[in-house]
Amino acid sequence: MSAVVDDVAADVAPSCVEDPTTLCAKLWDLFGLRWLATNADVLVAKPATILLIVVVAAVARLLVHRAVRRLTDRTASGAVPTILRPLRGRGPHQREAVEQVTARRTQRAEAIGSVLRSFASFVILGIAVVLVLGELGINLAPIVASAGVVGVALGFGAQNLIKDFIAGIGIILEDQYGVGDVVDLGEASGTVEAVGLRITRLRDVNGVVWYARNGEVLRVGNKSQGFAQVVIDMPVAHDTDLDRCRTIMQEVADAMYAEEDWATVLLAPPESLGVEQITSEGVFMRVTVRSTNADQWRVGRELRLRLKERFAVEGIRTPLPLLGAVAGTGAGAR
């Protein structure tokens, strides 16, 4: 008897079919199942809404990641800076400089792209999770409150880590330094090998690798941006003919500037500035020349060698050591 009643009840149309525009009525018309039509909201509407949210979130994340990737690829493969355009292709040193700039720009673009993609994924997935929980009827107020408490606790506990990440983003966006740059960070100085969001790795002249937290970098002295100014102070004796010495220094620098091997390295005519300093030890004569960043130390060593050799030929004497300094050195040695 009960089976007959259940069969009759199953064939009876639910009350929701009175409105033919409802999902319940449409399911009743399609399948004729009372249990499916009655629970249409739970069995069909909410799963379909959740599936739609997930699909839209996945598509939005994919589109944003593709847009960020295109932007970063265009930035990484952009034109070489103006300071290097006249030098491109002239020699191996210029090609090396261009390669360093390209590697630096690529790493910078990849770091920025990684941050943007992570931020976009976090925002999109966060919104999707909140919408899904809302569809499931879960009260979000306790979850939001708990997340706020956890966020405050993590903020206090990991404030140094957050500080490092924010400082790293600023360093990358402002292009303070990059791979291949020679920088002075205070305690550590050397060539930058990697720039991350939290750590900067550089190697000094002795081969020691330094890891500097970006949040602890208070000042940066970058010796590789734009061009380099090579400044050489040559000490001479007090009785030296300073005008003649200045002329000789200018001739030596001009001869080096005119050579074909150095034409792609020296960016501007050298200038002999004359007397820079007079001390009890002697007179310091200064000459300056503008060069590429990668070759500034090589230019300085070569120019000092040529000046020293020319001084020896011209009979220009360097200052003699003071007796007091010699005596002090001997006493200190003992």
Side-chain angles (χ1 to χ4, degrees):
M1 187 67 181
S2 61
V4 174
V5 173
D6 291 340
D7 292 339
V8 173
D11 294 335
V12 176
S15 59
C16 61
V17 298
E18 297 177 358
D19 186 1
T21 60
T22 60
L23 179 63
C24 174
K26 293 179 180 179
L27 290 177
W28 174 258
D29 294 338
L30 290 174
F31 302 101
L33 299 176
R34 180 182 176 85
W35 64 271
L36 181 61
T38 305
N39 300 284
D41 186 43
V42 176
L43 297 178
V44 178
K46 286 188 177 181
T49 304
I50 294 174
L51 179 61
L52 180 62
I53 292 173
V54 173
V55 171
V56 171
V59 173
R61 180 176 177 272
L62 178 63
L63 294 178
V64 171
H65 281 204
R66 180 176 298 179
V68 171
R69 190 173 294 107
R70 287 184 178 181
L71 177 62
T72 54
D73 290 344
R74 189 180 302 113
T75 302
S77 60
V80 178
T82 305
I83 189 64
L84 290 177
R85 287 178 189 172
L87 305 176
R88 183 171 47 186
R90 286 189 176 182
H93 302 289
Q94 277 64 47
R95 287 194 294 270
E96 181 181 356
V98 172
E99 290 175 359
Q100 289 180 353
V101 172
T102 303
R104 167 180 174 173
R105 181 180 296 172
T106 301
Q107 186 183 36
R108 181 187 177 198
E110 290 178 354
I112 296 175
S114 176
V115 173
L116 293 178
R117 288 192 295 269
S118 299
F119 180 75
S121 298
F122 177 79
V123 172
I124 294 174
L125 295 180
I127 295 175
V129 169
V130 171
L131 293 177
V132 169
L133 293 178
E135 289 295 329
L136 295 176
I138 299 176
N139 187 8
L140 299 179
I143 298 177
V144 173
S146 302
V149 174
V150 173
V152 172
L154 291 177
F156 280 105
Q159 55 183 339
N160 289 332
L161 183 63
I162 297 174
K163 178 181 177 182
D164 294 338
F165 274 101
I166 294 176
I169 294 173
I171 290 172
I172 294 173
L173 291 178
E174 296 171 1
D175 195 19
Q176 297 179 13
Y177 53 82
V179 175
D181 284 353
V182 179
V183 299
D184 182 2
L185 303 182
E187 292 293 333
S189 61
T191 303
V192 177
E193 293 188 342
V195 181
L197 292 179
R198 193 179 72 89
I199 292 292
T200 295
R201 187 178 79 241
L202 64 156
R203 188 182 300 271
D204 63 14
V205 294
N206 297 320
V208 180
V209 178
W210 294 82
Y211 295 89
R213 288 173 44 199
N214 293 330
E216 299 297 326
V217 178
L218 302 180
R219 63 170 181 83
V220 179
N222 196 324
K223 303 177 182 180
S224 301
Q225 284 187 347
F227 59 88
Q229 190 79 5
V230 179
V231 180
I232 297 178
D233 292 333
M234 295 294 293
V236 296
H238 288 96
D239 57 354
T240 303
D241 186 347
L242 299 181
D243 290 335
R244 177 169 168 267
C245 180
R246 177 180 180 181
T247 302
I248 292 174
M249 294 177 69
Q250 184 69 48
E251 292 176 354
V252 173
D254 289 340
M256 182 176 174
Y257 178 75
E259 293 182 5
E260 184 178 356
D261 294 339
W262 297 95
T264 59
V265 175
L266 304 181
L267 305 180
E271 184 178 3
S272 180
L273 302 179
V275 178
E276 174 61 25
Q277 188 179 10
I278 300 177
T279 66
S280 59
E281 298 179 359
V283 181
F284 291 84
M285 305 291 291
R286 171 166 293 185
V287 61
T288 62
V289 60
R290 181 176 298 182
S291 72
T292 58
N293 295 317
D295 299 283
Q296 54 180 307
W297 295 277
R298 188 166 66 96
V299 170
R301 288 191 292 267
E302 179 66 20
L303 188 54
R304 290 187 185 92
L305 175 62
R306 297 191 180 197
L307 289 172
K308 180 62 178 177
E309 292 177 349
R310 182 65 180 275
F311 280 6
V313 173
E314 298 292 339
I316 298 177
R317 298 184 296 107
T318 57
L320 297 176
L322 298 178
L323 297 178
V326 175
T329 302
R334 288 194 297 268

